[in-house]
Amino acid sequence: MNETFDGPVPSPWGDETVLETRGRAAGVYFTADELLDTKFPEPRWAVPGLICEGLNLLVGSPKLGKSWLCLGLGVAIASGNKALDKIDVEQGSVLYAALEDTPRRLKNRLETVLDGDAAPKGLSITTALPRGQEMVDVVSGWLDAHDDARLVIIDVLRKVTPRSDGRNSYEADYDAMGALKRLADAHRVAIVAVHHTRKMTDEGDVFNEVSGSTGLTGAADAILIAKRSRNDGAAALHVTGRDILENEYALTFDPERCTWELDGAGLGEAAHNARTAKTTDGVGDKAAAIIRLLARYPEGTGPTEVGKQLDLTKETAGSYLSRLADAGRIQKVGRGKYRSAYSADTAYIERESNVIAFDFGDRVGTVGTVGSASQRADNDGGDGA
């Protein structure tokens, strides 16, 4: 049977230009040259270098101290003090939804964190929120009433996601996170959703330890994973995201004051300390001292200087250096010359008084700014990556 072709099938969208006309009106459609000429506002940071506007997933094992971390961040931002005791923040209103706590417990915790200081009026606390779209509407209303808000904390995520409706877990997780992301984007505020890690660790990629489907991590703008051993104050914060640089920062947790602090004067030093902790883990005191000493010599040094600094003979220092290099703990960069294993691979970016370390590995290239097009191109991917 012969068929005739009478022209294109009418589009269900109507006019062929509907994507362009409606997209331009909504500010989501550009030609490439128009996009390059468009001026966008800089990202709004809750904690510069760590927590940016958008949806941030904060993950850690149960009873790690995540709620103490959240409360400390909320107090710091609401009062305009330093986050993690080191990072300057811009003061703004904070909503802390502590959904696993009671008001009595929160009062005790707040008194501990404040340590005699006055409570910031800009910190609002709730112990209950509805689920799903109703939660989004309630929080959106609060944000409308607090146009200076810089941070919303939902502790924990599972308390506000819709109950199972029979869909597969990826779809349900991605849709639930997508609703929070749209809320954050609409108000240009940082939302931190607290979640748990799974029991099984992943030595190759710590971000695979997030409990649940990849719908959670795929929809988030940034993922922050806090890790520390039980009864040990030393901790690490692993971060990756669309507007932040992938890195690992050393933190400390004070069990007496229940406070989290950055281990270093700034993010750059904290990143260096996290790397040093890795290279010194499991070695003796002398070997650890040598590894730390080499960090002061970015161009490298030899057994004579190491022996002088650490009261060792040249022969003993040389033996230590050789064994550490063979084990990959330090780098040998010439005859009798060694340096830190990370000194050649780490660059630092200065932005708004915050030093941010970026690990290049073996790659060679230039460094952009935080949130630059080049960085987002590396991190933005299909399927919410």
Side-chain angles (χ1 to χ4, degrees), residues 27-50:
V28 298
Y29 182 98
F30 306 85
T31 61
D33 59 327
E34 290 170 344
L35 185 60
L36 290 178
D37 289 337
T38 302
K39 302 297 183 183
F40 295 100
E42 286 294 311
R44 298 177 71 229
W45 293 89
V47 181
L50 286 182

Side-chain angles (χ1 to χ4, degrees), residues 136 139-140 143 178-189 191:
V136 172
V139 175
S140 182
L143 289 167
L180 285 173
K181 174 172 167 49
R182 288 190 294 274
L183 175 64
D185 291 345
H187 291 274
R188 295 203 62 211
V189 68
I191 294 180

Side-chain angles (χ1 to χ4, degrees), residues 69-84:
L69 175 58
C70 289
L71 184 57
L73 292 175
V75 168
I77 293 169
S79 60
N81 291 331
K82 292 180 182 293
L84 298 173

Side-chain angles (χ1 to χ4, degrees), residues 233-262:
L237 184 66
H238 304 259
V239 302
T240 189
R242 297 182 176 118
D243 288 302
I244 60 175
L245 298 173
E246 183 171 334
N247 220 319
E248 177 183 349
Y249 301 104
L251 302 179
T252 57
F253 178 72
D254 184 342
E256 297 297 324
R257 297 167 52 226
C258 297
T259 56
W260 289 83
E261 295 183 5
L262 197 68

Side-chain angles (χ1 to χ4, degrees), residues 77-92:
I77 293 169
S79 60
N81 291 331
K82 292 180 182 293
L84 298 173
D85 200 43
K86 303 291 172 61
I87 304 174
D88 291 320
V89 299
E90 185 171 332
Q91 184 174 8

Side-chain angles (χ1 to χ4, degrees), residues 301-303 332-338:
T301 190
K332 186 173 183 179
V333 293
R335 185 176 177 86
K337 195 173 184 180
Y338 302 83

Side-chain angles (χ1 to χ4, degrees), residues 186-199:
H187 291 274
R188 295 203 62 211
V189 68
I191 294 180
V192 171
V194 181
H195 190 54
H196 297 307
T197 53
R198 56 187 176 88
K199 291 183 178 180

Side-chain angles (χ1 to χ4, degrees), residues 1-340:
M1 185 172 80
N2 293 328
E3 295 181 349
T4 60
F5 180 69
D6 297 321
V9 177
S11 167
W13 288 80
D15 191 297
E16 301 102 22
T17 63
V18 68
L19 175 60
E20 180 176 352
T21 54
R22 292 185 184 179
R24 287 188 184 280
V28 298
Y29 182 98
F30 306 85
T31 61
D33 59 327
E34 290 170 344
L35 185 60
L36 290 178
D37 289 337
T38 302
K39 302 297 183 183
F40 295 100
E42 286 294 311
R44 298 177 71 229
W45 293 89
V47 181
L50 286 182
I51 301 176
C52 190
E53 66 175 81
L55 179 56
N56 302 264
L57 190 63
L58 174 61
V59 186
S61 60
K63 306 301 183 289
L64 172 81
K66 300 186 297 295
S67 294
W68 288 108
L69 175 58
C70 289
L71 184 57
L73 292 175
V75 168
I77 293 169
S79 60
N81 291 331
K82 292 180 182 293
L84 298 173
D85 200 43
K86 303 291 172 61
I87 304 174
D88 291 320
V89 299
E90 185 171 332
Q91 184 174 8
S93 294
V94 176
L95 175 62
Y96 178 31
L99 306 179
E100 292 187 321
D101 287 315
T102 63
R104 175 190 57 77
R105 184 183 301 128
L106 282 168
K107 177 184 176 181
N108 292 337
R109 291 192 170 195
L110 189 57
E111 289 173 342
T112 299
V113 170
L114 291 171
D115 194 26
D117 292 339
K121 294 183 179 180
L123 175 59
S124 299
I125 300 173
T126 180
T127 59
L129 279 178
R131 291 179 179 269
Q133 186 59 44
E134 187 178 0
M135 176 275 299
V136 172
D137 294 340
V138 167
V139 175
S140 182
W142 185 90
L143 289 167
D144 286 337
H146 298 80
D147 57 7
D148 68 327
R150 302 197 75 84
L151 180 64
V152 173
I153 302 169
I154 298 176
D155 185 7
V156 292
L157 175 66
R158 193 66 191 93
K159 288 283 189 176
V160 299
T161 52
R163 300 188 188 279
S164 176
D165 58 2
R167 293 178 297 165
N168 69 58
S169 59
Y170 177 89
E171 289 180 349
D173 288 343
Y174 195 88
D175 287 349
M177 292 289 283
L180 285 173
K181 174 172 167 49
R182 288 190 294 274
L183 175 64
D185 291 345
H187 291 274
R188 295 203 62 211
V189 68
I191 294 180
V192 171
V194 181
H195 190 54
H196 297 307
T197 53
R198 56 187 176 88
K199 291 183 178 180
M200 186 176 297
T201 60
D202 189 323
E203 297 298 331
D205 186 353
V206 67
F207 297 102
N208 286 336
E209 297 179 20
V210 179
S211 178
S213 77
T214 54
L216 293 174
T217 53
D221 291 303
I223 308 164
L224 302 89
I225 297 186
K227 301 193 76 171
R228 74 179 178 92
S229 300
R230 298 294 177 192
N231 303 314
D232 188 352
L237 184 66
H238 304 259
V239 302
T240 189
R242 297 182 176 118
D243 288 302
I244 60 175
L245 298 173
E246 183 171 334
N247 220 319
E248 177 183 349
Y249 301 104
L251 302 179
T252 57
F253 178 72
D254 184 342
E256 297 297 324
R257 297 167 52 226
C258 297
T259 56
W260 289 83
E261 295 183 5
L262 197 68
D263 183 11
L267 289 175
E269 188 173 329
H272 169 77
N273 289 342
R275 288 170 167 80
T276 300
K278 279 186 174 181
T279 56
T280 58
D281 184 40
V283 303
D285 292 343
K286 285 292 185 184
I290 290 173
I291 292 171
R292 289 191 291 267
L293 176 66
L294 291 182
R296 293 159 46 188
Y297 297 88
E299 301 301 321
T301 190
T304 300
E305 181 64 18
V306 169
K308 178 182 176 182
Q309 293 291 331
L310 299 178
D311 194 25
L312 299 171
T313 66
K314 179 181 177 180
E315 291 72 21
T316 300
S319 178
Y320 270 110
L321 289 166
S322 178
R323 292 200 303 269
L324 288 170
D326 289 342
R329 305 272 183 168
I330 61 175
Q331 292 181 349
K332 186 173 183 179
V333 293
R335 185 176 177 86
K337 195 173 184 180
Y338 302 83
R339 67 181 174 191
S340 168

